[in-house]
Amino acid sequence: MITYEFLQQYWWFIISLLGGLLVFLMFVQGGNALIFIAGKNEKDRQLMVNSTGRKWELTFTTLVTFGGAFFASFPLFYSTSFGGAYWVWILILITFVLQAVSYEFQSKQGNLIGNKSFRIFLMLNGFLAPLLIGTAVGTFFTGSEFIVNKTAVGDIASPVISQWTNNLHGLEAVGNSFNLLFGLMVMFISLILGALYMINNIGSEKLCKSLIRCLASCFGCFLVIFLYVVFELFLKDGYAVNQDGSVYMESGKYLNNFLEMPVVLALFLIGALLFVAGVALTLRNLTFKRGIWLAGPGIVMAVMALFMVAGYNDTAYYPSSIDLQSSLTISNSCSSEFTLRTMATVSLIIPFVVAYIAYFWRKMDKKQITTEEIENTEKY
């Protein structure tokens, strides 16, 4: 029999999966960030824009799906984070709006500000979106400054459950070194995936050599930050949950979670190894073009494991650094059993949607993009 607790755990798994897919699909942002770094001339830049332009809707759709799934399954997180830390989410939204506008209008007749301006917008989206999203996710481990009072829902004058206790409304997350490094880690992941994707997708040896040089630099920066973040995560005190639902600080909580959930630890290690293998094989052999198909699934697995460590094994996934008992857990922030059960039925169509996307992805990427093809087809 499917219990309410099982549904809660199931929906955190779905959130973890969507989070992993979102980070993978941010290769679009990573590719855009490299437009002026790897692209040395107009032809190179046009190739890069057309390469990511064919996939940007997938990233945006996954972001919306991720947010929608969080809202439906864990509404208290949605109202607390989106209602309190709104400056971070507004900035993320603005960068994605700039991306959509840039793809739509940069090649249109009557473009008054020029292609370069729109490509700068794409570059800003490429750097800022993963940085801000990663910084926001970093607060899952460090906590945020909010208070939750569920009894306030009955207050006619001010039925506000969650309140932010500072005027920065999410921007304070950037002031925490762990959050910022976590954001930088996600940013370099997107840059690496962007380079790997375009190496696989673009038929220009000259541009691919430039992308490989960028890949090497980004991977070096990523390794330093990744090792520091993982080391600090293992040493951090974490937000543990008692059987009665009360939250307390536990020394080495996240390391304990990995050790007490060996399947999650294996998922993280295999994912990290696949990611490193995809990059290493590409750097070692210039003719190897399929690094994205090792690194991509690897990142999905590793990010899923981090989400699981943040929420499973009696852990508060969105802790309050001001009031421990206001911290959000899978059980105290989820929707009703009826809602979760209904959505679980709907979620059964996810494999068919993924298969549909994979089929048309393969059709679109069957041949590499070349300058000749761009001259005879629509430009972004």
Side-chain angles (χ1 to χ4, degrees):
M1 181 178 178
I2 297 178
T3 64
Y4 188 25
E5 182 179 0
F6 172 83
L7 290 169
Q8 294 168 352
Q9 302 289 320
Y10 171 77
W11 273 101
W12 188 253
F13 173 83
I14 295 296
I15 294 298
S16 301
L17 174 60
L18 289 172
L21 289 173
L22 176 61
V23 175
F24 164 54
L25 291 171
M26 281 198 293
F27 70 78
V28 172
Q29 277 61 46
N32 289 337
L34 297 173
I35 289 174
F36 294 104
I37 300 174
K40 303 303 181 182
N41 54 55
E42 176 58 25
K43 288 185 178 180
D44 287 349
R45 292 164 189 161
Q46 190 63 59
L47 282 169
M48 295 172 73
V49 171
N50 273 259
S51 178
T52 59
R54 299 181 181 189
K55 299 293 189 299
W56 75 270
E57 294 97 336
L58 294 178
T59 309
F60 191 80
T61 302
T62 305
L63 176 65
V64 173
T65 304
F66 177 73
F70 234 138
F71 170 72
S73 54
F74 300 98
L76 189 53
F77 164 79
Y78 195 88
S79 64
T80 301
S81 181
F82 286 73
Y86 52 78
W87 280 121
V88 172
W89 299 113
I90 287 175
L91 288 174
I92 292 171
L93 178 61
I94 288 173
T95 66
F96 276 96
V97 170
L98 287 176
Q99 179 196 54
V101 170
S102 298
Y103 279 126
E104 182 67 26
F105 292 106
Q106 66 174 279
S107 297
K108 298 292 185 182
Q109 292 184 354
N111 175 5
L112 299 178
I113 63 175
N115 286 357
K116 185 174 181 179
S117 297
F118 282 116
R119 289 174 184 173
I120 290 174
F121 293 158
L122 289 177
M123 184 185 68
L124 289 175
N125 169 256
F127 281 114
L128 292 179
L131 174 64
L132 291 171
I133 290 174
T135 301
V137 173
T139 62
F140 283 20
F141 303 100
T142 60
S144 298
E145 298 179 6
F146 64 88
I147 295 175
V148 174
N149 179 16
K150 293 185 178 181
T151 61
V153 72
D155 187 349
I156 298 177
S158 181
V160 179
I161 296 177
S162 305
Q163 293 184 342
W164 218 255
T165 60
N166 65 64
N167 294 324
L168 295 176
H169 292 286
L171 294 179
E172 74 279 356
V174 180
N176 183 290
S177 61
F178 179 86
N179 295 340
L180 185 58
L181 287 170
F182 201 96
L184 287 171
M185 180 179 70
V186 174
M187 185 190 77
F188 279 112
I189 287 172
S190 70
L191 290 170
I192 291 168
L193 292 175
L196 289 173
Y197 174 75
M198 289 188 291
I199 289 170
N200 175 256
N201 185 243
I202 296 176
S204 169
E205 290 302 317
K206 181 181 177 182
L207 178 55
C208 284
K209 289 180 180 178
S210 180
L211 287 167
I212 288 173
R213 288 193 292 270
C214 293
L215 176 64
S217 300
C218 291
F219 186 60
C221 294
F222 162 77
L223 277 181
V224 174
I225 296 173
F226 172 76
L227 292 174
Y228 180 85
V229 168
V230 171
F231 182 74
E232 186 171 345
L233 182 65
F234 285 171
L235 296 180
K236 282 181 68 64
D237 292 343
Y239 297 80
V241 184
N242 276 313
Q243 293 298 317
D244 61 0
S246 60
V247 179
Y248 66 98
M249 299 303 298
E250 178 181 320
S251 179
K253 172 61 176 171
Y254 303 110
L255 175 58
N256 293 337
N257 282 359
F258 272 119
L259 297 177
E260 293 169 9
M261 297 186 292
V263 173
V264 175
L265 177 60
L267 187 69
F268 180 75
L269 293 176
I270 293 172
L273 288 174
L274 284 174
F275 180 74
V276 172
V279 176
L281 288 173
T282 303
L283 294 176
R284 182 180 179 182
N285 184 357
L286 297 182
T287 62
F288 184 77
K289 306 289 186 180
R290 298 183 177 275
I292 183 66
W293 302 121
L294 289 173
I299 278 300
V300 174
M301 296 168 67
V303 172
M304 284 182 66
L306 287 175
F307 270 88
M308 292 175 182
V309 164
Y312 284 160
N313 199 39
D314 297 322
T315 310
Y317 71 86
Y318 198 53
S320 170
S321 56
I322 296 296
D323 177 24
L324 284 181
Q325 305 317 313
S326 291
S327 300
L328 303 188
T329 67
I330 291 176
S331 60
N332 72 11
S333 63
C334 66
S335 293
S336 67
E337 181 175 0
F338 174 79
T339 301
L340 295 182
R341 191 177 295 276
T342 302
M343 292 195 306
T345 303
V346 176
S347 72
L348 296 177
I349 69 172
I350 291 178
F352 299 98
V353 175
V354 172
Y356 174 82
I357 292 172
Y359 173 76
F360 282 97
W361 183 308
R362 180 174 176 79
K363 294 284 286 186
M364 293 172 66
D365 284 0
K366 195 171 184 180
K367 294 182 180 180
Q368 290 183 317
I369 297 176
T370 61
T371 303
E372 293 75 17
E373 180 185 354
I374 290 177
E375 291 173 349
N376 297 313
T377 56
E378 179 184 2
K379 296 181 180 180
Y380 283 92

PDB file of all heavy atoms in Angstrom, residues 72 106 123 137 253 337:
ATOM      1  N   ALA A  72       3.704  22.518  -6.353  1.00  0.00           N
ATOM      2  CA  ALA A  72       2.608  21.583  -6.157  1.00  0.00           C
ATOM      3  C   ALA A  72       2.889  20.579  -5.041  1.00  0.00           C
ATOM      4  O   ALA A  72       1.981  20.218  -4.287  1.00  0.00           O
ATOM      5  CB  ALA A  72       2.325  20.840  -7.461  1.00  0.00           C
ATOM      6  N   GLN A 106      17.567  39.023 -32.266  1.00  0.00           N
ATOM      7  CA  GLN A 106      18.892  39.466 -32.704  1.00  0.00           C
ATOM      8  C   GLN A 106      19.073  39.439 -34.214  1.00  0.00           C
ATOM      9  O   GLN A 106      19.845  40.223 -34.769  1.00  0.00           O
ATOM     10  CB  GLN A 106      20.000  38.644 -32.039  1.00  0.00           C
ATOM     11  CG  GLN A 106      20.066  37.192 -32.421  1.00  0.00           C
ATOM     12  CD  GLN A 106      21.277  36.511 -31.813  1.00  0.00           C
ATOM     13  OE1 GLN A 106      22.384  36.615 -32.314  1.00  0.00           O
ATOM     14  NE2 GLN A 106      21.067  35.845 -30.688  1.00  0.00           N
ATOM     15  N   MET A 123      25.301  36.177 -23.062  1.00  0.00           N
ATOM     16  CA  MET A 123      26.468  35.903 -22.231  1.00  0.00           C
ATOM     17  C   MET A 123      26.159  36.166 -20.761  1.00  0.00           C
ATOM     18  O   MET A 123      26.554  35.387 -19.880  1.00  0.00           O
ATOM     19  CB  MET A 123      27.643  36.757 -22.685  1.00  0.00           C
ATOM     20  CG  MET A 123      28.944  36.483 -21.943  1.00  0.00           C
ATOM     21  SD  MET A 123      30.273  37.618 -22.410  1.00  0.00           S
ATOM     22  CE  MET A 123      29.639  39.167 -21.722  1.00  0.00           C
ATOM     23  N   VAL A 137      20.609  27.272  -4.288  1.00  0.00           N
ATOM     24  CA  VAL A 137      20.605  25.883  -3.829  1.00  0.00           C
ATOM     25  C   VAL A 137      21.591  25.697  -2.672  1.00  0.00           C
ATOM     26  O   VAL A 137      21.376  24.863  -1.787  1.00  0.00           O
ATOM     27  CB  VAL A 137      20.947  24.932  -4.994  1.00  0.00           C
ATOM     28  CG1 VAL A 137      21.111  23.497  -4.497  1.00  0.00           C
ATOM     29  CG2 VAL A 137      19.848  24.990  -6.053  1.00  0.00           C
ATOM     30  N   LYS A 253      26.577  16.187   9.614  1.00  0.00           N
ATOM     31  CA  LYS A 253      25.296  15.609   9.206  1.00  0.00           C
ATOM     32  C   LYS A 253      25.319  15.133   7.755  1.00  0.00           C
ATOM     33  O   LYS A 253      24.831  14.032   7.448  1.00  0.00           O
ATOM     34  CB  LYS A 253      24.188  16.648   9.408  1.00  0.00           C
ATOM     35  CG  LYS A 253      22.822  16.249   8.843  1.00  0.00           C
ATOM     36  CD  LYS A 253      22.277  14.989   9.486  1.00  0.00           C
ATOM     37  CE  LYS A 253      20.883  14.671   8.984  1.00  0.00           C
ATOM     38  NZ  LYS A 253      20.412  13.338   9.441  1.00  0.00           N
ATOM     39  N   GLU A 337      -2.094  14.497   1.136  1.00  0.00           N
ATOM     40  CA  GLU A 337      -1.947  13.163   0.558  1.00  0.00           C
ATOM     41  C   GLU A 337      -2.709  13.048  -0.756  1.00  0.00           C
ATOM     42  O   GLU A 337      -2.220  12.444  -1.719  1.00  0.00           O
ATOM     43  CB  GLU A 337      -2.439  12.102   1.544  1.00  0.00           C
ATOM     44  CG  GLU A 337      -2.278  10.687   1.015  1.00  0.00           C
ATOM     45  CD  GLU A 337      -2.662   9.632   2.043  1.00  0.00           C
ATOM     46  OE1 GLU A 337      -3.058  10.003   3.162  1.00  0.00           O
ATOM     47  OE2 GLU A 337      -2.578   8.431   1.695  1.00  0.00           O
TER      48      GLU A 337
END
